[in-house]
Amino acid sequence: MKVYRNLPAIKSREQRGRRIALGGLAILFVGLLASFTPNWFPPDEPAANALTGFIQRYWTVVSFGALAVGFIASNVGSYYINRFAPRRWPGSKKVARPDELVENGLKGFDDKYALFLWGLDEVPYILVGPSGVRVFLVRSDKGTVTVYGDRWRERFSLGRLLTFLNREGLGNPTREIEETERKVRELLQEGESSGELAVNAADIPIESAAVFINPAMQLELENPSMPVLRVDQLKKYVRTKKEQQLNAGDVRAVTDYLLSVSALA
């Protein structure tokens, strides 16, 4: 399997997350220091300068403001880190990024397949092969998700409440995948119209699946309207579609076109 990974973008977003998280911790520390103002600069004592006077007057605003801003920044940073940084996953000794887990879940396919990882921002995980184009909606949170048809529900927990800002969140996978498939179809049609894609876009099958990569995620499924998989089921899912919709030339044409419009070009 050919793998096209936009590693600079992944690393950049990981670094961005670490910087935001570190900045959030620094802001929280400022808020902690401000809370000691009444001990350091008693309000009944004259201020030594304008700065200490400002701190004496507004220390509560600084303290609580820093608490709010620091908390938000730390969680936003953690959101990026969870999506782009290597980490140890429950029940595994392996340290890996989410994109590496998806790649590992598809290992074993030959060069007829091409996996794009964050090459297309609006379609982070896309696989091209003889059976067409596969779009994967990847989630890395833990918890319990229940799927009834096209209805998705994530079970409430205290941990989910405390980490709501740094989680990817379940969202509405059905709607998200429909939107992603539409974007992929439009992208292929643009390629056909411009002559960059020498394949009839309407003849390229597009299928999607929601993929949960965290072993700690519990899935309760009842007639889901789309495939809902664990990452270790990914290879079997792809292999079950044995019918060849695209010949080797078409697969190569679609792969080359997606590569040309990706950030990897």
Side-chain angles (χ1 to χ4, degrees):
M1 181 178 64
K2 299 175 182 176
V3 179
Y4 301 100
R5 189 194 323 270
N6 189 354
L7 191 56
I10 294 172
K11 291 290 187 181
S12 173
R13 290 167 188 177
E14 177 191 347
Q15 291 174 0
R16 183 188 309 168
R18 295 192 185 282
R19 288 168 182 166
I20 294 174
L22 186 60
L25 291 175
I27 294 172
L28 287 171
F29 183 67
V30 170
L32 176 64
L33 292 179
S35 68
F36 291 110
T37 296
N39 295 326
W40 293 340
F41 306 106
D44 55 348
E45 292 185 2
N49 52 51
L51 177 60
T52 56
F54 175 85
I55 294 175
Q56 282 177 317
R57 180 173 298 181
Y58 297 108
W59 72 268
T60 53
V61 175
V62 173
S63 181
F64 286 102
L67 177 64
V69 174
F71 176 77
I72 292 173
S74 297
N75 279 272
V76 170
S78 295
Y79 170 82
Y80 278 96
I81 291 171
N82 287 340
R83 296 192 80 187
F84 299 104
R87 55 171 156 151
R88 192 179 304 279
W89 299 86
S92 172
K93 297 180 180 180
K94 183 179 294 185
V95 176
R97 296 189 308 266
D99 63 285
E100 291 174 325
L101 290 184
V102 174
E103 178 189 355
N104 290 338
L106 291 166
K107 272 189 175 177
F109 289 110
D110 57 27
D111 285 349
K112 294 177 183 178
Y113 292 84
L115 177 64
F116 290 82
L117 301 170
W118 291 98
L120 301 164
D121 269 346
E122 294 184 335
V123 193
Y125 298 91
I126 184 168
L127 178 72
V128 182
S131 57
V133 173
R134 306 291 182 87
V135 176
F136 303 128
L137 178 68
V138 175
R139 292 288 187 265
S140 61
D141 292 332
K142 62 181 179 179
T144 301
V145 167
T146 304
V147 186
Y148 297 99
D150 61 357
R151 292 181 298 172
W152 298 72
R153 185 172 64 85
E154 188 173 9
R155 185 175 297 172
F156 176 81
S157 68
L158 182 59
R160 176 185 164 194
L161 178 64
L162 295 175
T163 60
F164 74 100
L165 285 176
N166 63 24
R167 293 165 54 88
E168 287 182 283
L170 179 62
N172 187 327
T174 302
R175 185 185 308 157
E176 189 173 338
I177 277 188
E178 288 174 353
E179 179 66 15
T180 302
E181 286 185 354
R182 181 186 64 79
K183 291 176 181 177
V184 173
R185 180 65 67 190
E186 288 177 352
L187 184 62
L188 295 174
Q189 290 171 343
E190 289 172 7
E192 181 187 359
S193 299
S194 66
E196 297 178 68
L197 175 62
V199 180
N200 187 346
D203 294 337
I204 302 174
I206 300 175
E207 296 186 14
S208 303
V211 182
F212 291 84
I213 61 176
N214 195 325
M217 175 62 79
Q218 302 295 318
L219 299 176
E220 298 176 356
L221 310 178
E222 186 172 327
N223 298 320
S225 59
M226 57 181 285
V228 182
L229 314 168
R230 297 187 181 281
V231 71
D232 58 0
Q233 299 172 317
L234 199 50
K235 186 185 296 184
K236 182 178 179 181
Y237 162 71
V238 175
R239 281 179 171 164
T240 56
K241 304 291 183 178
K242 293 182 179 179
E243 64 276 11
Q244 180 170 322
Q245 303 288 339
L246 303 176
N247 59 42
D250 291 342
V251 173
R252 188 162 51 251
V254 174
T255 300
D256 290 345
Y257 170 66
L258 291 179
L259 187 59
S260 71
V261 297
S262 74
L264 301 166

